[in-house]
Amino acid sequence: MLGLETQINTELKSINLWLRANKLSLNVAKTELMVISSRQKLQSLNDKTININVEGVKINQTDNSKALGLNIDENLSWKEHIHATSKKVASSIGALKRVRPFISMHTAIEIYKGLIEPHFDYCSVVWDGLSQQLSEKLQKLQNRAARVITKSSYNLLNSLNWDNLSVRRTKQKANLMYKCVNKLAPNYLCNMFTPRTLSFDLRDASQKLYLPKPRTDYLKRSFSYSGMPFPDDDFQKA
C-alpha cells in the first residue's frame, strides 16, 4: 500500500506541474480518491489510510463518485447509478401519466423516447454488468411506462414493438462491438480486442477474436469480455 501511495502522489505532482506549465490548475476541492476492488479486499484495507495530497492539501477518499453522468461505486456494483437513474425515470413517468389523458398515444411515445428512454440507454454498455435485482428494478419502470402509454394494466411491450431493457442493452453492445471489430470506434476501444490471426478456417478470419479467460467476476462483467459472444466456431479462448 505504501508503494501505491507513493506512486499516486508522484503522478499527481507531475500532473499538477503540467497543468501549471500550461496555465491551468487542478481543482483540489473537486478531486476525490476512490479505491475500486471487491468487498473482501476493501474490508482488509479499512484500517489502512491512503494519504494522497496535492501541495499539502489532502484528497478526500470516497466510496462512490459521479463522473460524466455515471455514478461509480467502489465495488462497481452500479447500485448508486441505478438508484439515481430510477429516481429520474420514475419522476418522468409520473409527469407522463399526468398529461397522458390529454395527448395521443403517438405523442406519449415520443415523450417516452425523448425524456425517459435516454436514461435507460446512457452509457449502458459500461454499466450492463449490473445484478439481476438491479436489472429487474429498471425493467419494472419500463413496464410501468408502457402501461401508462397504452392505458392498460398489462405489460404491453410487444404491442409497442419494444425490446425489454436487457435485450436493448445487448443490441447496443453488439453494435459497439461491430464498430470495434471494423475499426469504426475510437482506438482505445478497438485496442481492447485482439484479432485471432492464426486459424485453420480462413473464412472470415479477420472477424475472429481471442476471448480472454476471466479470473474474476469483474472481468466477466466488463465490456472486453461480455461484449463478445460465447465461445463458438468464430471465437477462441486465449
Side-chain angles (χ1 to χ4, degrees):
M1 185 60 64
L2 182 60
L4 177 62
E5 183 178 297
T6 301
Q7 184 176 355
I8 294 176
N9 277 309
T10 300
E11 294 296 333
L12 271 178
K13 183 177 180 179
S14 298
I15 291 172
N16 194 42
L17 289 174
W18 184 90
L19 289 171
R20 287 184 175 278
N22 288 275
K23 301 186 183 302
L24 299 170
S25 62
L26 179 65
N27 191 334
V28 180
K30 293 185 177 180
T31 302
E32 296 177 321
L33 164 68
M34 180 166 59
V35 180
I36 299 177
S37 187
S38 65
R39 287 184 176 87
Q40 293 79 3
K41 289 186 178 180
L42 287 175
Q43 286 175 354
S44 68
L45 298 175
N46 280 344
D47 57 343
K48 299 178 182 179
T49 303
I50 303 177
N51 294 308
I52 306 298
N53 65 82
V54 177
E55 295 185 343
V57 180
K58 185 177 179 180
I59 303 300
N60 293 324
Q61 187 167 346
T62 183
D63 56 8
N64 68 82
S65 184
K66 187 173 182 179
L68 300 177
L70 279 179
N71 288 273
I72 306 171
D73 63 88
E74 61 185 1
N75 302 128
L76 293 183
S77 69
W78 305 109
K79 183 177 180 180
E80 292 298 325
H81 181 73
I82 300 306
H83 176 68
T85 298
S86 297
K87 287 181 64 176
K88 295 175 184 176
V89 170
S91 177
S92 297
I93 292 175
L96 177 60
K97 185 176 182 179
R98 289 192 292 273
V99 302
R100 181 64 182 93
F102 311 105
I103 60 177
S104 67
M105 183 171 172
H106 173 76
T107 300
I109 292 174
E110 291 301 306
I111 291 175
Y112 169 83
K113 291 185 177 295
L115 297 180
I116 298 174
E117 194 171 68
H119 292 300
F120 289 137
D121 291 345
Y122 182 71
C123 289
S124 66
V125 171
V126 176
W127 53 261
D128 187 40
L130 75 175
S131 67
Q132 182 65 27
Q133 181 182 13
L134 293 177
S135 179
E136 291 174 355
K137 183 177 183 178
L138 289 180
Q139 189 55 54
K140 288 178 181 178
L141 289 169
Q142 189 196 35
N143 296 344
R144 187 193 306 174
R147 291 195 296 271
V148 169
I149 291 172
T150 58
K151 295 183 177 180
S152 171
S153 60
Y154 299 98
N155 183 5
L156 298 175
L157 294 184
N158 289 335
S159 68
L160 291 168
N161 198 28
W162 289 359
D163 291 322
N164 66 44
L165 295 179
S166 179
V167 172
R168 186 175 179 85
R169 291 194 298 271
T170 298
K171 288 183 176 181
Q172 290 169 340
K173 190 177 294 186
N175 181 57
L176 182 55
M177 274 301 303
Y178 173 85
K179 293 180 180 179
C180 290
V181 170
N182 291 279
K183 306 299 181 183
L184 301 174
N187 288 336
Y188 74 91
L189 288 175
C190 296
N191 293 338
M192 294 175 67
F193 304 96
T194 304
R196 192 182 70 187
T197 56
L198 183 61
S199 174
F200 293 105
D201 182 6
L202 298 180
R203 293 174 300 174
D204 298 325
S206 62
Q207 303 302 313
K208 301 176 188 292
L209 301 173
Y210 282 110
L211 183 64
K213 293 180 179 179
R215 292 187 174 87
T216 65
D217 288 337
Y218 287 102
L219 180 54
K220 287 182 180 179
R221 297 196 300 263
S222 70
F223 174 59
S224 61
Y225 180 82
S226 65
M228 293 193 286
F230 290 106
D232 55 22
D233 291 340
D234 289 334
F235 293 85
Q236 174 178 308
K237 285 189 177 181

